[in-house]
Amino acid sequence: MTNNDIFKKLRVALMLRDDQIVEILELVDFRISKSELGAFFRDEKHPNYMECGDQVLRNFLNGLVIHLRGTKENPKNPNDILAKHKAQIPKKESTKERTEFKAAAKDAEKGRADQKPAKSVSTAKKPFKNNNSKATPKVQIVEKVKFNNGKNKKTK
């Protein structure tokens, strides 16, 4: 597993954005730009792909320890930090709350388990009726095809 793979997995697992990673690296006095950071996450075939070096990964891990645990003078709870990261992720606007579907009985008496359904209601299904009688009849495709059996007959 390469350093880039480790870096990518840490980023996804901790739900970190690029600007948060830059801040974490600044905790250990390691400065990197967002564009340099983005080069680590590109596809290997991309022309601007850059291999993540040992120094970058080492500084990121050291900065991550300080970011999550804090220092001796100012300790932090890592679970609180991770909860903040999760809360900062924007929710998609297209995702709507699902309303729970509850089927209603067609007949009020039919839905009751303590009584039998009313006898006036017919339970037999009606046969399917096609209401599309005004439409033009379908022409089968086979009728349109001419078969020449491989011969080109020209009439004059």
Side-chain angles (χ1 to χ4, degrees), residues 2-148:
T2 65
N3 288 349
N4 286 49
D5 295 333
I6 295 168
F7 206 42
K8 287 176 187 177
K9 288 182 189 268
L10 283 170
R11 177 186 184 201
V12 171
L14 297 171
M15 296 174 274
L16 296 172
R17 297 186 319 258
D18 288 347
D19 56 336
Q20 292 172 326
I21 294 173
V22 170
E23 290 173 11
I24 290 170
L25 286 168
E26 286 179 358
L27 291 174
V28 289
D29 295 328
F30 188 83
R31 284 164 188 70
I32 191 168
S33 68
K34 284 186 184 180
S35 59
E36 288 177 305
L37 189 62
F40 299 141
F41 300 117
R42 296 183 190 273
D43 187 37
E44 292 179 7
K45 297 170 185 150
H46 195 277
N48 294 340
Y49 171 78
M50 196 166 71
E51 186 71 32
C52 176
D54 293 340
Q55 184 181 10
V56 176
L57 187 60
R58 178 175 44 86
N59 283 310
F60 174 70
L61 292 173
N62 289 336
L64 190 61
V65 169
I66 294 170
H67 178 70
L68 293 176
R69 294 186 194 163
T71 59
K72 286 184 180 180
E73 299 82 27
N74 188 15
K76 297 179 185 176
N77 185 357
N79 291 331
D80 295 339
I81 303 298
L82 293 174
K84 281 183 188 177
H85 290 306
K86 194 171 187 177
Q88 288 177 349
I89 295 174
K91 292 185 179 181
K92 294 180 182 177
E93 294 176 11
S94 62
T95 308
K96 296 180 181 177
E97 291 292 325
R98 287 183 152 184
T99 57
E100 192 163 330
F101 176 75
K102 188 173 183 180
K106 291 181 182 177
D107 186 5
E109 293 177 358
K110 197 175 189 179
R112 296 184 60 177
D114 60 342
Q115 295 179 355
K116 292 182 180 178
K119 293 184 180 181
S120 62
V121 178
S122 174
T123 57
K125 288 187 175 182
K126 295 179 182 176
F128 178 73
K129 183 178 179 184
N130 189 359
N131 293 333
N132 198 8
S133 60
K134 294 181 181 178
T136 57
K138 289 185 179 179
V139 178
Q140 292 192 3
I141 297 172
V142 179
E143 294 174 4
K144 294 181 180 178
V145 177
K146 282 186 172 180
F147 292 101
N148 294 331

